[in-house]
């Protein structure tokens, strides 16, 4: 991740540029430390502006969080929708298309995933409700994908689909966390790695002779 200069956003920087610097820093801080542990003062210090100026531009902490969340949520939703809409015999399987789209959408701002999946948001706040609406929309897309996958495999139990959607969300979160810890991995490299991992799992499960119907 690129670390912003301590003098970024000082006098003479256009407001639009300064706002982008603040949002980039705030997104990383919220994603890395969580809403509860992130302070407006720390973000202002990192960017090199005063706390009053940051409040003037974005309002309070929750307003700043929402300013970070909305573009992240919109970007991820659009990426997933586009990936699921791709068809054709040459297209990778849907799970790989979605993973590749997520990695590409998060490239350069990997912590943004955890802005959306932040357990420290104040309950019943506008921030919590907005984040939940994005997560629900992503889960709805995942539910469609998992139901289609299970139907193709001849498994139509709704609880199977629900369990697989839950597992998929956890796997995506775990993969993004691993990716953050391996900054040299490009989105393309991560997608290829996931293809190998999913292929290995399929091979292991496909080679099993045990009866798994019980």
């Amino acid at each position: 991740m690129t670390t912003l200069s301590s003098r970024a956003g000082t006098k003479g920087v256009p407001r639009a540029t300064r706002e982008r610097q603040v949002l980039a820093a705030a997104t990383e801080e919220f994603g890395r430390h969580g809403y509860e542990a992130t302070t407006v003062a720390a973000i202002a210090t990192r960017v090199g502006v005063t706390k009053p100026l940051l409040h003037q531009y974005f309002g309070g902490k929750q307003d700043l969080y929402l300013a970070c969340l909305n573009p992240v949520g919109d970007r991820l939703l659009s990426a997933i929708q586009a990936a699921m809409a791709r068809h054709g015999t040459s297209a990778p399987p849907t799970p790989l298309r979605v993973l590749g789209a997520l990695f590409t959408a998060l490239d350069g701002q990997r912590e943004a995933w955890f802005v959306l999946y932040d357990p420290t948001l104040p309950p019943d706040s506008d921030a919590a409700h907005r984040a939940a609406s994005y997560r629900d929309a992503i889960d709805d897309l995942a539910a469609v994908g998992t139901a289609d996958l299970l139907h193709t495999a001849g498994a139509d139990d709704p609880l199977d689909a629900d369990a697989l959607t839950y597992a998929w969300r956890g796997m995506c979160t775990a993969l993004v966390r691993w990716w953050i810890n391996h900054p040299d991995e490009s989105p393309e490299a991560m997608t290829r790695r996931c293809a190998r991992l999913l292929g290995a799992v399929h091979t292991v499960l496909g080679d099993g002779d045990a009866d798994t119907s019980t």
Side-chain angles (χ1 to χ4, degrees), residues 57-107:
Y57 284 177
F58 293 100
K61 178 179 174 179
Q62 185 170 185
D63 296 317
L64 178 56
Y65 167 84
L66 288 169
C68 297
L69 171 70
N70 288 327
V72 168
D74 290 342
R75 188 165 72 246
L76 289 174
L77 273 175
S78 295
I80 295 170
Q81 289 167 343
M84 293 182 67
R86 288 176 56 197
H87 296 290
T89 56
S90 62
T94 300
L96 280 180
R97 295 202 309 270
V98 171
L99 286 172
L102 287 179
F103 297 139
T104 299
L106 291 170
D107 192 30

Side-chain angles (χ1 to χ4, degrees), residues 101-181:
L102 287 179
F103 297 139
T104 299
L106 291 170
D107 192 30
Q109 205 174 43
R110 300 177 187 186
E111 287 86 357
W113 177 266
F114 296 99
V115 174
L116 190 60
Y117 291 90
D118 185 348
T120 72
L121 292 171
D124 296 323
S125 64
D126 289 343
H129 289 305
R130 185 61 175 161
S133 71
Y134 279 119
R135 293 195 302 269
D136 289 344
I138 290 174
D139 281 350
D140 288 344
L141 291 172
V144 171
T146 53
D148 288 346
L149 181 66
L150 290 172
H151 179 73
T152 300
D156 293 314
D157 187 332
L159 284 180
D160 285 349
D162 186 61
L164 186 55
T165 299
Y166 190 88
W168 173 259
R169 184 197 315 142
M171 185 184 74
C172 289
T173 297
L175 286 169
V176 172
R177 194 180 301 279
W178 187 91
W179 192 32
I180 290 172
N181 292 329

